[in-house]
Structures are given as C-alpha cells and as structure tokens.
Amino acid sequence: MKSSGSRPSFLIIGVLILCCFSQVRSDASDHRYKDGDPVPLYANKVGPFHNPSETYRYFDLPFCSPDHVKEKKEALGEVLNGDRLVSAPYKLNFKEEKDSSVVCKKKLSKDEVVILRKAVDKDYYFQMYYDDLPIWGFIGKVEKEGKTDPSEYKYFLYKHIQFDALYNKDRVIEISARMDPHSLLDLTEDKEVEAEFMYTVKWKETDTPFEKRMDKYSMSSSLPHHLEIHWFSIINSCVTVLLLTGFLATILMRVLKNDFIKYGQDEEAADDQEETGWKYIHGDVFRFPKYNSLFAAAIGSGTQLFTLTVFIFMLALVGVFYPYNRGALFTALVVIYALTSGIAGYMATSFYCQLEGKNWVRNLLLTGCLFCGPLFLTFCFLNTVAIAYNATAALPFGTIVVIVLIWTLVTSPLLVLGGIAGKNSKAEFQAPCRTTKYPREIPPLPWYRSAIPQMAMAGFLPFSAIYIELYYIFASVWGHRIYTIYSILFIVFIILLIVTAFITVALTYFQLAAEDHEWWWRSFLCGGSTGLFIYAYCLYYYYARSDMSGFMQTSFFFGYMACICYGFFLMLGTVGFRASLFFVRHIYKSIKCE
C-alpha cells in the first residue's frame, strides 16, 4: 500500500517540473525577421576571464552607452546566474551591413583610463546576447613581447569591433565578434585620451537550419579528443567496478557460505561451540544508533538530494540544459528542491518513528535545517562579499524575497506534510533478530578499524571512479568550457552509486565480523566520505588546474563547493547506509537467531 501511495506524489512532482520547463525552447518560434528589422542585442557583463564568479555590469566600465539604457526583465535562474542584461550601444539590424560605423566619440578621464587599464591587465572579457546567441570578446590586450619588467608592459583597449553574422532565410543562425588588432587605444599612461569607438557588421547566408544553431556551442565537448578521454574515464570506472564487485562478491560469498554452514548446524552442535564473528552480536546489531534524530534527519535530507539529482539528470537527458539556456539549471535546482522537500520530511520522520523517537516535530525542524542551514549561512556570507565588490553575483533584494517566499510557501509546508504522513505511516522497523536489553562490549580493535581510516578506504575507490570526469565538470562550472555529454555523466553517476554501495557493504561486513555492532553511523560516514575526497580535489583544482585569484573568487569557489560536497556527503551516506541495512537484514535473516 505504501508504494502505491508514493507513486502519485512522484507523478505530481514530475508533472510540475515538466510544466516549469515545457517552454524552455519557446525561443525557437518567434525569431523571424524581415530585412532591416531590429534584432535584440543585449550587453550582459564583464569580468576577469579566469574568475568566472567575479562579473560586473557591462556599463561599470566607461564604455559608450545608449541614450536610454533599458534593462531586460530576467527570470529567477538568470539572476542567480549573475546575468544582468541591458540594451547595448550597437545597432545590428537584420541583414543590414555597416562599415566602420561610429558608436561614440568619448574623452576618457585619468580615472577612467586607470579603470580600463586595470581591466585589461586582468584579462577582462565582455559577454553580449544577440537574438539569444552569446557573443564573447576581450576588451583589450597587454603587450609583453621582449619585456621582463611589468612596468614596461603596454596596455591597449580595442576600439573597433567587427560582428560577423550568419542567416538562413529570415532567421539569425550564428554571430561572432572579432576585435580589430590595428585599431587600439593606448592606456599605458595616466592621462586623458580621446577615443572614437566603431563597429562593423557583415552578413553571410548559411544552410544551417535554425534548429541546429546551438549545436556549434556543444561541439567543443563532443570533439573526438574529448570523447576519447570521457570514454577512457568510463572504461576506467567500469574496470574499477568490475574488479571491486568481483573481488567483494568472491570474498563475501565464500566467507558468508562458510558462516552459514557453521551457523546453520543443529542446535546441539551449536551449543557446544562458542559463538564468534558477526553471529555473536546478533542481539546488538539492530540496536538503534545514538543521536537517532540527527541520523534520521541525515537520511531524509540525503534521500531528497538523491531525488533532486535524479530529476536534474532526467531534465538534462531530455535536452533542457542546452548551451547558454541562461539560468535553466539554477531554476531547476530551486524548483525541484522545493517540490521534493516532502520526501525529506516523510523519510526522516517515518524512519525516526521506526527508531522509537518521540519528538518528531524537533526531528522535522532538524531535517529542514540540516542542508538548508549551512547553505543559507554560506549564501549570506558570499552575498555580502559580492555586494562589497559590487558584482553581479550579489542577488537583488527582490530575488532574495522570492527565494524566501518559495521556502516559506512551498518548501516548508511540503516538509511538514511529508513529516505528518511519515508519522502517521506507523511503520515498524523490520529486524530479523531480537535486540538484547544490555549491549555487548566491543572488543579492542586495531587502529585501521577505527572510523577515519575506514572512511579513507571507503571514499578513495568511488572517487577514483569519477575523478577524470570531475575535471570537465569543474572546467564547466568554474570556467568557460561547455559541458553537454550528460549521458556519459549519468553513467558515471550510476557507477559512483554502485561502487559506494559495494565498498560500504564490504566494510560493514568486516566491522561486524570483528564483533563491532555500531555500524549505523559508520556505514553512513563511509558512504559519504567521497564528498570529502571531492573537496580535497577542489584544493588541487584551485592551485594546480585553474588561474583563479582574488578574495571574492576564492571565497565563492571554496564556499559553494563546500555546500556541494556536503550535499554529496549526505546523499552518498544515505546510499551507503541503505545498502548496508539491506545486506545486514539479509545475512541475519539467513541464520537462526535465538
């Protein structure tokens, strides 16, 4: 009955999610133009190329601005993504060519020259959107040839930009921007300079259909060289899984077979022998863990994050997160997290009641705050940093109000409803063995059987199965590389779950064989330890594989990665515990427990 009751809730969540994202490709029908029609061109942001989180409004730099700067109304995901689109000073009408058209003539003050020189020195780039197609370009260049002393470097601002546009009948297919290397403004000295900014527009016809105009941006991650590395990653992961599962299956089956033969003897023979190993602790193995409220809350939050991840993969595999679909991922994360909070409430409270917990309301509050609490504190700190930097990553007050309303009107009520349903489910914990009144003393164990060495062993194998793919994900999230091979990522995710489950089960068996019956928390910690390895990889990526710098970028990288790794810890910890619970129930059901 329980399973049939849970199906409608998943169907409702699925329908709501599809409704939210059913029109993500609606732009494909309205982009038809006649000759000379104005095509929307928006300037988005500028920022240091190597610091993807540190972006500023386009007109924070003293560029030519139109008479009336019009801000584009943006969706929640776009604002979370740091997009702040405003009307650009260039006029690119459909199929209308221009040659060295003047945007404006401007006298740059000393202060403006200093601002622009600092921006050029930090490799500032600009980003625009023309008919929803992205345009990138650098604002200037530093001339270092033959010079070793930085004081001798020369700094130049590009004055002339050429737009090359491709069209197919009445639609824009492609746009790119090239900076004229011969039209430069010298910014080396602190003095006022006169500048004349110009642009050129060239149009060419193409056979590429409108439906495939985004394929160009996803090509980079599908190049043969990159695909080879991705497939190598999967083969590496699969070999790891096969070796691990084969090894564990052989060892466990052989050991368990011997155990079952030994423990399955008739009662007279069993009475003559002293019980040893995991059979010896059958009266303690299902003794409920300490801090049962926190444990149940962690299981509930981990289940919600697992459900969130599965839904995100479903949307990715059906093509919702195509390149430059601005803010779609952030919107999906906020909406799906809000809609799945009922799952966390139900799983946590029902499991807490199975563990004979009494204060289910406190457990529900703990579940609601376990992941959201650290995330909220991190966001408050990082948003304050972004406000201090006047960066676009700082969320406007209105957006914060919207997120608070979603949390208050959707997340919290669903969490409470899930909690009430979990409390009323009245499910009992299924234990094949009776628990004794007093716990047995755990024998002294060698150091490598303690929690931290076991977590190190448990986290290393799953991490080794995913670390190659991690680089590409990091280069996409914390860089400008585009990631579109979600099918490969989904395979790697499944491999991660399998390896996590198997290694946790193995370590749980060896723990029980050593007559240590406190396996509940250990299985959760061992399963989640991969999250700690991913955070350690963050340190390696920051210092060895990226050129990120500055307090804002560093705090954003380590702050938000801490939250993501914590989420992985909860999710994989839940997977590890569930696998161990299934295994422990199975082996104790197979023997006679008196």
Side-chain angles (χ1 to χ4, degrees):
M1 291 295 287
K2 272 182 226 171
S3 61
S4 63
S6 63
R7 277 181 207 140
S9 62
F10 274 100
L11 284 171
I12 291 166
I13 292 169
V15 169
L16 285 168
I17 289 164
L18 285 173
C19 288
C20 289
F21 297 100
S22 61
Q23 297 188 7
V24 290
R25 289 184 181 269
S26 61
D27 63 336
S29 58
D30 305 320
H31 296 242
R32 296 181 183 274
Y33 304 101
K34 294 177 183 176
D35 291 8
D37 278 359
V39 182
L41 173 65
Y42 292 102
N44 186 14
K45 53 193 176 185
V46 293
F49 183 74
H50 299 295
N51 288 356
S53 302
E54 188 184 341
T55 53
Y56 304 95
R57 292 174 182 272
Y58 183 79
F59 292 115
D60 283 352
L61 293 181
F63 292 133
C64 297
S65 60
D67 297 331
H68 302 288
V69 177
K70 182 185 173 186
E71 293 195 3
K72 184 179 184 291
K73 195 175 180 181
E74 289 166 310
L76 173 65
E78 292 174 316
V79 178
L80 293 173
N81 197 36
D83 292 333
R84 303 291 185 271
L85 274 67
V86 293
S87 51
Y90 308 101
K91 302 295 179 190
L92 276 67
N93 296 338
F94 189 67
K95 291 171 65 174
E96 190 176 285
E97 295 199 347
K98 293 184 179 180
D99 188 19
S100 301
S101 180
V102 177
V103 186
C104 74
K105 293 181 180 178
K106 191 168 186 177
K107 189 173 186 178
L108 297 172
S109 66
K110 283 183 183 180
D111 292 339
E112 289 175 331
V113 168
V114 170
I115 290 169
L116 287 169
R117 185 169 67 238
K118 285 180 178 176
V120 170
D121 186 41
K122 290 182 179 179
D123 285 331
Y124 266 52
Y125 69 95
F126 66 84
Q127 186 191 43
M128 299 181 184
Y129 282 95
Y130 182 67
D131 194 43
D132 280 342
L133 291 169
I135 308 172
W136 297 75
F138 286 98
I139 67 166
K141 69 172 186 176
V142 184
E143 198 173 87
K144 301 179 181 179
E145 289 180 18
K147 301 178 179 72
T148 54
D149 187 0
S151 62
E152 295 177 357
Y153 292 168
K154 286 190 170 292
Y155 301 89
F156 297 99
L157 183 73
Y158 292 121
K159 294 191 296 179
H160 190 175
I161 181 170
Q162 178 172 324
F163 296 99
D164 296 306
L166 300 180
Y167 68 94
N168 186 348
K169 295 177 183 176
D170 55 356
R171 287 175 153 175
V172 179
I173 303 299
E174 190 178 315
I175 183 82
S176 60
R178 288 186 291 132
M179 317 308 290
D180 187 349
H182 305 295
S183 180
L184 302 169
L185 181 68
D186 194 341
L187 302 172
T188 310
E189 296 178 20
D190 291 345
K191 63 178 183 180
E192 291 184 353
V193 288
E194 293 278 353
E196 185 178 51
F197 294 96
M198 296 178 292
Y199 69 108
T200 298
V201 186
K202 300 288 183 186
W203 287 88
K204 284 184 183 177
E205 194 168 5
T206 180
D207 297 328
T208 306
F210 180 78
E211 292 73 24
K212 293 188 176 180
R213 69 175 189 164
M214 282 294 179
D215 290 358
K216 168 192 170 185
Y217 304 103
S218 58
M219 287 282 283
S220 60
S221 59
S222 302
L223 291 173
H225 169 67
H226 291 303
L227 275 178
E228 281 178 19
I229 296 172
H230 286 293
W231 282 115
F232 172 75
S233 168
I234 284 190
I235 292 166
N236 168 59
S237 303
C238 287
V239 169
T240 304
V241 171
L242 288 172
L243 288 174
L244 178 69
T245 51
F247 170 74
L248 291 179
T250 306
I251 297 294
L252 288 179
M253 291 306 291
R254 182 174 294 177
V255 171
L256 283 172
K257 186 179 178 183
N258 293 336
D259 287 348
F260 289 146
I261 291 169
K262 185 170 69 176
Y263 298 145
Q265 294 170 350
D266 58 350
E267 291 179 14
E268 290 78 12
D271 289 336
D272 296 335
Q273 294 178 356
E274 186 182 348
E275 290 181 345
T276 57
W278 54 269
K279 171 70 163 59
Y280 179 66
I281 55 169
H282 65 80
D284 296 276
V285 74
F286 293 106
R287 191 178 303 282
F288 298 144
K290 297 174 184 174
Y291 314 112
N292 58 355
S293 182
L294 178 61
F295 190 78
I299 297 298
S301 296
T303 308
Q304 180 190 4
L305 292 170
F306 177 75
T307 311
L308 168 68
T309 308
V310 170
F311 275 121
I312 290 292
F313 269 117
M314 285 167 57
L315 291 175
L317 292 170
V318 297
V320 170
F321 306 129
Y322 58 90
Y324 297 105
N325 183 9
R326 296 189 306 276
L329 178 59
F330 288 103
T331 306
L333 287 169
V334 171
V335 171
I336 298 172
Y337 185 83
L339 293 176
T340 54
S341 60
I343 294 170
Y346 178 84
M347 295 302 294
T349 310
S350 63
F351 193 59
Y352 178 66
C353 291
Q354 287 179 39
L355 299 180
E356 298 176 356
K358 304 298 180 189
N359 196 341
W360 67 275
V361 176
R362 188 183 67 179
N363 174 250
L364 201 59
L365 289 171
L366 185 59
T367 306
C369 297
L370 195 65
F371 182 72
C372 280
L375 181 64
F376 175 73
L377 293 174
T378 305
F379 163 75
C380 288
F381 171 71
L382 295 178
N383 204 55
T384 306
V385 172
I387 290 169
Y389 273 73
N390 197 28
T392 59
L395 294 190
F397 179 72
T399 306
I400 295 172
V401 170
V402 168
I403 292 172
V404 170
L405 286 174
I406 290 172
W407 191 83
T408 308
L409 301 177
V410 181
T411 307
S412 298
L414 286 176
L415 183 75
V416 172
L417 287 172
I420 293 169
K423 175 183 171 288
N424 294 334
S425 66
K426 293 186 167 57
E428 291 186 5
F429 186 79
Q430 301 297 319
C433 300
R434 283 181 299 168
T435 303
T436 56
K437 192 173 182 181
Y438 300 105
R440 290 184 188 271
E441 188 178 348
I442 298 169
L445 299 170
W447 65 270
Y448 56 84
R449 286 196 180 272
S450 59
I452 292 173
Q454 295 283 294
M455 286 171 68
M457 281 189 272
F460 178 74
L461 274 169
F463 175 76
S464 67
I466 63 166
Y467 81 98
I468 295 175
E469 207 64 26
L470 270 184
Y471 168 74
Y472 289 95
I473 298 165
F474 273 58
S476 173
V477 176
W478 301 105
H480 304 286
R481 191 188 291 268
I482 296 168
Y483 192 97
T484 55
I485 317 176
Y486 299 114
S487 53
I488 288 181
L489 188 61
F490 186 59
I491 294 169
V492 171
F493 177 68
I494 291 170
I495 290 169
L496 172 65
L497 297 180
I498 293 169
V499 179
T500 301
F502 264 88
I503 193 69
T504 311
V505 163
L507 290 173
T508 300
Y509 171 76
F510 292 129
Q511 182 183 355
L512 296 177
E515 300 176 13
D516 181 356
H517 53 79
E518 294 181 347
W519 62 275
W520 299 69
W521 273 109
R522 180 75 63 83
S523 64
F524 185 88
L525 294 172
C526 286
S529 60
T530 306
L532 303 177
F533 275 82
I534 297 172
Y535 199 65
Y537 180 82
C538 293
L539 290 164
Y540 164 75
Y541 182 83
Y542 181 85
Y543 290 107
R545 303 302 293 269
S546 78
D547 294 310
M548 290 185 273
S549 61
F551 178 73
M552 179 183 166
Q553 182 60 46
T554 304
S555 57
F556 263 71
F557 178 73
F558 286 109
Y560 280 127
M561 281 312 302
C563 293
I564 292 168
C565 293
Y566 175 53
F568 264 93
F569 178 81
L570 292 173
M571 180 180 73
L572 295 176
T574 302
V575 170
F577 168 72
R578 287 292 179 189
S580 296
L581 180 62
F582 175 81
F583 170 76
V584 172
R585 274 179 176 157
H586 177 73
I587 62 170
Y588 280 94
K589 204 181 284 184
S590 304
I591 61 167
K592 286 185 272 183
C593 298
E594 293 126 21

